[in-house]
Amino acid sequence: MAKEVAFEAAPQPRLLRVLTALTALGFLATLYLGLVVAGTDIEQGDIQRIFYIHMPSFFGAFTAFGATVVGGLLYLARKNDAWDRIALAGAEVGLAFALINLLTGAIWARPIWNTWWTWDPRLTSAAVMCLIYAAYLMLRAGIDDMSRKRNFMSVYGIFAFVSVLTTLFIIRIVPETIHPVIVGASPQNAQGSFEATSGVVTALAPSMLLWLTLMPITLMWHRYRLETRREALDQKMIQALGD
Amino acid sequence: MMNTIIAVAIMLCLLLAGGASASDHDETLPYYRMGAVNVPILEGWANQSSADFAQFELTEAQATIRTAFVSANNGIDAAQAELGEMLGMDIDGPVYSDKVNLADGTWNVLAFDIDEATTASSMARRSEAGFIVINFVERNPAARTVLVAITQADESRDVADPEIARMTEALAGVGLTQFSGVEVIDLASGTWRVFRHPELTAMGTVFGNESYVALQEGQPGDLATLADAYNRTLLGFFVTPDNSHYLALGLAVVFLILGTLVFSFSWRSRGIQRDLALIQQLAQSED
């Protein structure tokens, strides 16, 4: 006996469509602010403009990885699959943002530090953070038992956030870093610092707002819906095979 | 409600963004921007700069410092050409010529004896667009001033006395022993040692491995002001690097990663749709 397996994709919520449009427009607007409106840094040249993406992308990753922690905690507490999907969405989107942060930093470092990479505490912790979340996605793909996978990845996602906090605070703790600090005094050995003038802040503030809120939320929502559909597909396949 | 707040915040930031453009042409910056070259603005000197050069004049000393880009075959020609442009006359060869290696490249160090009232000191180094020339001109008949940089033979001294002696003997025939003691003064450009003689004042400072020496025949008494201004120009000017290709690379990486993420969402969504259609097709065929 064949059962009805037709599956209609749920239409995008109106709010998600609005968020997607706002995110796209916001991204273009912040690019315009950083690349055209903001003045050229007279010491660093045009490459300083990458900062308007470099720093916000880290905070975007912070939001997304934070969602992985919240999703993990609430999944463990309530055993609701939706929280696990949020945790997964956070890890995937956060990793993309963290990679943007890492690579734009390396590209900035080439003309300013005269090297693509150095084993500075901040750079090393950022690279380790990326590896930890890449491992999250690989491990997740490697566990078949759904319940075991969700429990394990929830715990992993919570502990992985230690690497995010380490990356955030390490330049305040380890004085040997050469990574500059924009808010507050840079470490003594910092190279490539620049002043947070009103022009820099005016270009940076909208970018921070976008990367901290709209971009991770919108992308995670799309990823969440994708995972919901994928899980529904799995169920349909199991159901069809069972029949 | 949240969307409205975010949208309003972004619009406000966009409206405020006019302030960001000010950083490029900020009147409070202590530099005069001449293309990619940033020249320190000399306080107390009249700013006579234009799009082609940064020029500051101290009227009471009849002294002018001009920084300019010059297209020429070598540093000496560049300095001579720019001096000719400044003074509106042909300039004979330098009475003193040397080279020093500073952090930003090799500089020609030159001194010119233009006429009875006019002396000039020049430094020139190659840049992408020709030569960067910093010319000091003094048109004071009561004084003849020379400002030069000399590489120290040994690299461990923090006083410029041997170079001062070398210059006073070469240009004025006066040894340091003929000066009446030494005076130490702190200026914006560093700590200088000053030697005085009835007809000659000599002073020098050290920065890195170079000694910066200033000589003034006659007694107008403004050597410290002139030497300090020239050194602040020489050591304080810098070129904004052209690294826009790295910015382009960074943006390409951002678009690549975000594009890959969004494309993967779309690709996986279509895959799910295909699989669902297949399941539906199989289910219907079983019917």
Side-chain angles (χ1 to χ4, degrees):
Chain A
M1 186 182 76
K3 285 190 176 176
E4 181 59 53
V5 290
F7 177 87
E8 290 295 327
Q12 267 192 16
R14 187 168 172 272
L15 180 59
L16 180 56
R17 288 204 298 272
V18 171
L19 278 178
T20 305
L22 273 177
T23 303
L25 287 174
F27 183 64
L28 294 175
T30 53
L31 277 183
Y32 178 75
L33 285 176
L35 300 178
V36 180
V37 176
T40 306
D41 186 280
I42 61 172
E43 288 183 14
Q44 295 192 15
D46 279 330
I47 191 60
Q48 182 271 341
R49 296 175 192 276
I50 205 73
F51 165 77
Y52 302 123
I53 294 174
H54 171 71
M55 181 177 161
S57 63
F58 175 81
F59 284 98
F62 186 89
T63 301
F65 292 146
T68 301
V69 173
V70 173
L73 284 170
L74 289 173
Y75 175 77
L76 291 174
R78 299 180 183 175
K79 298 298 178 190
N80 182 339
D81 297 351
W83 291 113
D84 177 62
R85 290 197 287 274
I86 289 175
L88 169 64
E92 196 169 306
V93 171
L95 179 60
F97 286 6
L99 283 173
I100 287 174
N101 172 257
L102 196 68
L103 292 174
T104 52
I107 290 165
W108 172 86
R110 181 64 184 88
I112 303 300
W113 289 348
N114 203 30
T115 181
W116 295 101
W117 184 262
T118 178
W119 293 104
D120 176 83
R122 166 58 77 83
L123 275 64
T124 307
S125 65
V128 169
M129 180 184 77
C130 286
L131 290 173
I132 285 173
Y133 281 95
Y136 174 101
L137 297 177
M138 286 192 284
L139 274 171
R140 193 177 175 100
I143 303 172
D144 289 331
D145 182 275
M146 288 303 285
S147 175
R148 192 162 154 252
K149 176 196 288 194
R150 286 172 175 144
N151 280 319
F152 180 77
M153 296 320 298
S154 294
V155 174
Y156 186 106
I158 293 163
F159 281 103
F161 199 69
V162 172
S163 68
V164 182
L165 295 176
T166 304
T167 304
L168 184 62
F169 291 114
I170 198 160
I171 52 174
R172 313 277 179 181
I173 301 164
V174 181
E176 287 77 25
T177 183
I178 60 169
H179 193 285
V181 174
I182 302 305
V183 181
S186 280
Q188 195 176 359
N189 300 327
Q191 293 173 26
S193 300
F194 55 89
E195 207 175 327
T197 60
S198 61
V200 169
V201 172
T202 307
L204 180 63
S207 192
M208 281 291 282
L209 188 68
L210 177 84
W211 285 81
L212 197 59
T213 57
L214 274 180
M215 280 187 72
I217 290 169
T218 306
L219 287 168
M220 281 193 306
W221 194 343
H222 279 290
R223 181 65 185 91
Y224 173 88
R225 293 185 79 245
L226 182 68
E227 190 61 15
T228 305
R229 291 183 66 205
R230 200 195 59 73
E231 287 182 4
L233 171 67
D234 286 348
Q235 283 181 0
K236 294 286 178 190
M237 286 177 80
I238 291 166
Q239 193 180 347
L241 289 169
D243 292 337
Chain B
M1 182 61 183
M2 191 62 193
N3 288 331
T4 312
I5 293 169
I6 290 170
V8 169
I10 289 175
M11 291 305 292
L12 276 174
C13 291
L14 285 170
L15 285 172
L16 289 168
S21 62
S23 63
D24 209 5
H25 311 285
D26 192 342
E27 294 298 325
T28 63
L29 275 179
Y31 297 99
Y32 178 77
R33 297 207 70 193
M34 189 181 63
V37 177
N38 307 280
V39 183
I41 292 172
L42 301 173
E43 278 181 40
W45 291 57
N47 190 343
Q48 301 172 334
S49 303
S50 73
D52 297 327
F53 54 78
Q55 180 167 302
F56 300 92
E57 183 169 288
L58 188 63
T59 312
E60 57 267 33
Q62 299 173 69
T64 306
I65 296 175
R66 181 192 277 198
T67 306
F69 272 123
V70 181
S71 186
N73 293 325
N74 58 61
I76 297 175
D77 287 353
Q80 271 183 274
E82 186 58 21
L83 276 175
E85 179 77 22
M86 280 178 79
L87 300 171
M89 59 193 288
D90 290 332
I91 306 297
D92 291 335
V95 293
Y96 174 84
S97 177
D98 195 5
K99 284 186 178 180
V100 291
N101 291 311
L102 304 185
D104 57 356
T106 302
W107 289 79
N108 286 94
V109 183
L110 307 159
F112 296 88
D113 201 354
I114 311 280
D115 56 35
E116 286 188 359
T118 313
T119 51
S121 299
S122 300
M123 292 203 49
R125 81 156 166 84
R126 191 175 288 281
S127 75
E128 286 175 15
F131 283 82
I132 294 172
V133 177
I134 302 175
N135 276 339
F136 165 85
V137 174
E138 188 184 55
R139 299 182 191 83
N140 185 354
R144 304 184 70 76
T145 304
V146 174
L147 309 167
V148 294
I150 305 168
T151 300
Q152 292 183 348
D154 50 21
E155 298 180 355
S156 58
R157 279 184 288 110
D158 57 1
V159 293
D161 294 5
E163 287 73 33
I164 297 173
R166 185 175 137 194
M167 290 305 295
T168 57
E169 282 165 10
L171 294 179
V174 180
L176 265 194
T177 52
Q178 295 172 258
F179 286 80
S180 56
V182 61
E183 177 190 344
V184 178
I185 56 171
D186 285 319
L187 302 175
S189 57
T191 300
W192 293 72
R193 288 164 65 81
V194 186
F195 297 85
R196 296 190 194 280
H197 182 271
E199 289 300 320
L200 181 68
T201 305
M203 53 191 291
T205 189
V206 173
F207 188 85
N209 296 328
E210 274 67 42
S211 291
Y212 295 85
V213 177
L215 300 182
Q216 190 172 57
E217 286 184 304
Q219 286 297 325
D222 52 19
L223 182 61
T225 303
L226 303 180
D228 188 45
Y230 189 64
N231 266 43
R232 275 162 57 202
T233 304
L234 175 64
L235 300 175
F237 104 97
F238 63 94
V239 179
T240 300
D242 177 15
N243 45 32
S244 52
H245 48 295
Y246 283 104
L247 176 65
L249 177 63
L251 291 174
V253 165
V254 172
F255 277 101
L256 182 69
I257 293 174
L258 287 179
T260 303
L261 185 69
V262 172
F263 178 75
S264 81
F265 288 175
S266 172
W267 180 261
R268 285 183 279 179
S269 179
R270 286 179 188 183
I272 289 169
Q273 202 61 44
R274 271 198 306 272
D275 290 347
L276 283 167
L278 184 63
I279 290 171
Q280 196 167 16
Q281 198 178 3
L282 287 170
Q284 283 169 353
S285 65
E286 278 185 23
D287 287 338

